[in-house]
Amino acid sequence: MITHKKECVAMLLAGGQGTRLGVLTRDVAKPAVPFGGKYRIIDFTLSNCINSGIDTIGVLTQYQPFELNNYIGNGQPWDLDRINGGVFVLPPYVRGKTGEWYKGTANAIYQNIKFVDNYNPDYVLVLSGDHIYKMDYDKMLDAHKAENADCTIAVIDVPLEEASRFGIMKTEDGGNRITEFFEKPKNPVSTKASMGIYIFNWKMLREYLIADEEDKNSDNDFGKNIIPRMLGDGKRMYAYGFSGYWKDVGTIHSLWQANMDLLDSNSGINLADGKWKIYARNNAFPPHHIGESACVKKSIISEGGDINGDVSESVIFQNVTVKKGAVVEHSVIMPGVVIEEGAKVHHAIIAQNTIIGRDSVIGGELTSEDDITVIGANACIPDGTEIEKGVMLEGR
Amino acid sequence: MNAMGIIFASDREVKLNELTIHRTTASLPFGGRYRLIDFALSNFVNSGITRIGIIAKNNYNSLMDHIRMGRDWDLNRKNSGIMVFPPFVRATSQEVYKGKIEALYTNLSYIKEAKEDYVFIVNSNIAANIDFEAAVEKMEEKQADLLVFTARMTYANSRRAIISTDENDRITDVLFSDAFNGEEHLVGINAYVIRRDLLCFLIETAYARSLVDWEKDVLQAQYKNMHMLSYEIKEHVAMIDDIKSYFKASMDLLDKNVREELFHKNGNVLTKVKDSSPTTYGENAVIKNSLIADGCVIDGVVENSILFRGVKVGKGAHISNSIVMEHADIGEGAKLSYVITDKKVTVSPNCSLSGFATYPIVIVKGKTV
């Protein structure tokens, strides 16, 4: 295969099972979960790539890949349908007699060394497909080159009490060189958390991946194995500070919260900013209609909808019907949902094509993070049903 | 399907004044996010017709920008697909074509080289969701030479063909007159399907006789000599040929049944995807009976109106019975009533504009009020 050299190739890890999202990831991989009225979670990372000038992306998938593969397709919505480069979905495959699932994040890249080698890149950008943020990777690459680094890790300041959920970096005084790295430390020494975004010099990473694969005791994970080993070998590892909006949407509450953040103009994420557009695969639907009896406040509403009830502080996806007398508050209503007359939905996530029957009451006030109510896709909630807050209901 | 399509991007019969200074009729914005040509294109695609020629005449930049390679209609094909024919000056006449006959003659090689047996010829000033496949079936069943698409309308003007038929739908009269305004009539909607070999013959002979007008010199002159049938569209048809009909056709979209017929009946209407973010409503938004596209930021009052993509409505602004096209900026406290603002119009804060249902005010593209 003859290909042109690329300076930087992105490898997007989209193979996480997303078990904490429960019914929302029963049939789709986490990166394909709908977000923000007309997007999927992965749109943010893909759009960041193309907006940063990176046009060669491998998407590593293995759980429920069908919908994600279908969604990415030829990459056209992100302008990634290229003759040289573009987006590639890379599932694990059988080699000779062996063949195996991706054992860890590092192993996923290891299994695709040939793919990366095709483009003979100087750098590889490793990303994850389950974060909501807008970031210019090109600036990070500039920093990587300026520091003459072997590896650069994007970091964000997190509250100290949350730091133990992340990989935490300690850097030299007055500089960005990483001196210590702790994966999910019990007693964090710093608040610089890894965002799971790495730039490596490909030649070096390639050697480490091969060595890591030979180590039978390794978990084949970037955070647990590759990064500590490089640090131990005295490689030039740098932190790249990012200060914009960034959210890991791995849990129901964080997914709900990230949707709610879109309604707050001070949250730091602005989808309407034309300078850094987020692209998505979309069909053309007619504009939404807001009827005589509707009352819409502080909400985001997408195309094709038919709104005749009260909607406040909610994110409404395409083709949602909210009938007269229905009330939707602080909720995320995914594509094709129908909320029948008189139904009330509070602090809930309703997945695709579910029908909420007349006068049903879904969810309630939020007193803890566990109080978000979730209804899976294609469910049919009978008229007059009451579903308590915090319940997670399987779809069909 | 065994048919190809020809779309006329603009036709001299259409009088849209301010709205077509910067564009062809085909690229006239309609229904919050569409261009008029989307309906013709989608009807073709949804009926399985993939060889489509678009004949442009003037101001076709906006059209080329909209269509590009036809990808949004799945028409970026290796075989067939979309072709845009810009006008070109013939060496003999030294001017661009005068009517449909000359235009078709100029592009006759494209039609002759096609392999489909039938040709649809449509104007782009029609918003309707039509199953073209059923029309071809009828044509084959009745062994017709030509099918004229018609609809019942009460509004007549001198540019609309009023059609009379016998009980077998055979056309018995064609006339052009505004004398019948107000009565319900069968009106030709400038859409036809004809056998390809017959079309080539008609165009060649008409051109040889220096005839110009397809409707008058062929339809009106030849209906007695051909097996010409009316094919009545019973669903909603909007024929847009002046500001008044544009305004009415737009306001009709606020009716759910009309939207259902127009946008979904025989397949969804496709258009260029622009990746706008969803619309954001603020704390002070009050919306009643309005159609609102993506990308708007609304904190004012909007009623009985259509807002296109990316419109900003400031706090305290009041928009009623109006059509606000893409990227308008309606300032705080501004008032619009029976107004059509073209793309990128700015209405300054507290400015008040008011027209009438029969005579809406049109604000030209890019202007600031």
Side-chain angles (χ1 to χ4, degrees), chain A residues 56-308:
Chain A
T56 306
I57 305 167
V59 179
L60 304 145
T61 63
Q62 61 185 351
Y63 291 104
Q64 292 290 2
F66 176 71
E67 190 158 333
L68 184 62
N69 295 357
N70 204 7
Y71 184 71
I72 293 172
N74 66 351
Q76 181 267 320
W78 305 270
D79 207 12
L80 287 167
D81 51 335
R82 302 297 176 96
I83 288 172
N84 173 32
V87 62
F88 298 84
V89 176
L90 304 170
Y93 59 94
V94 175
R95 293 164 188 72
K97 284 179 188 160
T98 54
E100 56 191 346
W101 295 107
Y102 294 146
K103 290 179 286 183
T105 51
N107 175 258
I109 313 275
Y110 168 83
Q111 291 200 34
N112 289 287
I113 282 178
K114 272 192 182 159
F115 168 80
V116 181
D117 276 347
N118 271 332
Y119 296 97
N120 187 25
D122 300 321
Y123 309 102
V124 166
L125 169 67
V126 177
L127 301 165
S128 47
D130 44 12
H131 297 151
I132 303 297
Y133 64 118
K134 288 183 168 188
M135 178 175 175
D136 189 345
Y137 304 134
D138 199 37
K139 286 189 178 151
M140 180 173 167
L141 186 58
D142 286 344
H144 180 83
K145 291 182 210 166
E147 300 280 19
N148 196 21
D150 292 314
C151 167
T152 300
I153 302 175
V155 296
I156 190 160
D157 247 332
V158 293
L160 191 63
E161 60 272 21
E162 284 181 31
S164 54
R165 286 173 39 215
F166 296 92
I168 294 295
M169 240 77 57
K170 195 159 183 257
T171 52
E172 65 182 1
D173 291 339
N176 289 320
R177 186 154 182 178
I178 299 166
T179 52
E180 283 178 278
F181 178 88
F182 308 93
E183 181 70 7
K184 298 182 181 159
K186 284 210 177 70
N187 301 304
V189 291
S190 125
T191 54
K192 281 187 174 144
S194 166
M195 297 163 67
I197 300 167
Y198 314 101
I199 293 177
F200 295 99
N201 293 350
W202 173 237
K203 271 191 192 138
M204 185 203 74
L205 177 65
R206 202 177 183 282
E207 286 169 19
Y208 273 86
L209 290 175
I210 293 168
D212 178 67
E213 189 61 20
E214 282 167 4
D215 176 0
K216 295 293 172 233
N217 299 321
S218 172
D219 288 328
N220 308 113
D221 186 89
F222 277 103
K224 285 184 208 154
N225 309 101
I226 302 283
I227 305 291
R229 198 161 296 152
M230 284 182 178
L231 208 53
D233 291 351
K235 296 288 177 191
R236 294 177 62 82
M237 317 273 289
Y238 282 81
Y240 173 77
F242 175 75
S243 55
Y245 181 92
W246 179 79
K247 191 132 197 141
D248 180 337
V249 287
T251 63
I252 292 293
H253 184 267
S254 63
L255 179 66
W256 174 84
Q257 185 61 53
N259 274 288
M260 293 300 120
D261 287 345
L262 299 174
L263 305 175
D264 175 5
S265 53
N266 301 319
S267 67
I269 181 108
N270 177 12
L271 294 177
D273 176 14
K275 289 191 204 82
W276 201 268
K277 256 191 190 179
I278 303 301
Y279 301 96
R281 183 178 292 277
N282 274 306
N283 294 318
F285 295 113
H288 62 259
H289 183 259
I290 300 203
E292 289 285 350
S293 56
C295 179
V296 175
K297 302 277 178 205
K298 286 191 80 175
S299 291
I300 280 181
I301 303 184
S302 193
E303 295 161 329
D306 196 356
I307 313 294
N308 287 294

Side-chain angles (χ1 to χ4, degrees), chain A residues 38 288-290 297 299 303, chain B residues 33 256 276 281 285 289 292:
Chain A
K38 69 184 291 188
H288 62 259
H289 183 259
I290 300 203
K297 302 277 178 205
S299 291
E303 295 161 329
Chain B
R33 70 168 301 179
K256 191 177 172 159
S276 316
Y281 292 96
N289 188 33
I292 300 190

Side-chain angles (χ1 to χ4, degrees), chain B residues 135-192:
Chain B
V136 167
E137 277 165 22
K138 168 149 180 182
M139 197 152 172
E140 286 177 334
E141 179 202 322
K142 302 274 181 190
Q143 298 277 302
D145 292 323
L146 197 162
L147 233 57
V148 179
F149 289 87
T150 56
R152 299 212 170 261
M153 294 181 190
T154 47
Y155 179 51
N157 59 36
S158 59
R159 300 177 297 275
R160 293 185 172 187
I162 293 173
I163 309 276
S164 306
T165 63
D166 65 13
E167 66 281 7
N168 296 317
D169 296 328
R170 184 157 181 163
I171 293 174
T172 55
D173 204 1
V174 178
L175 46 97
F176 295 86
S177 168
D178 55 6
F180 299 97
N181 192 13
E183 299 167 36
E184 193 179 76
H185 281 282
L186 210 51
V187 174
I189 59 169
N190 298 329
Y192 313 94

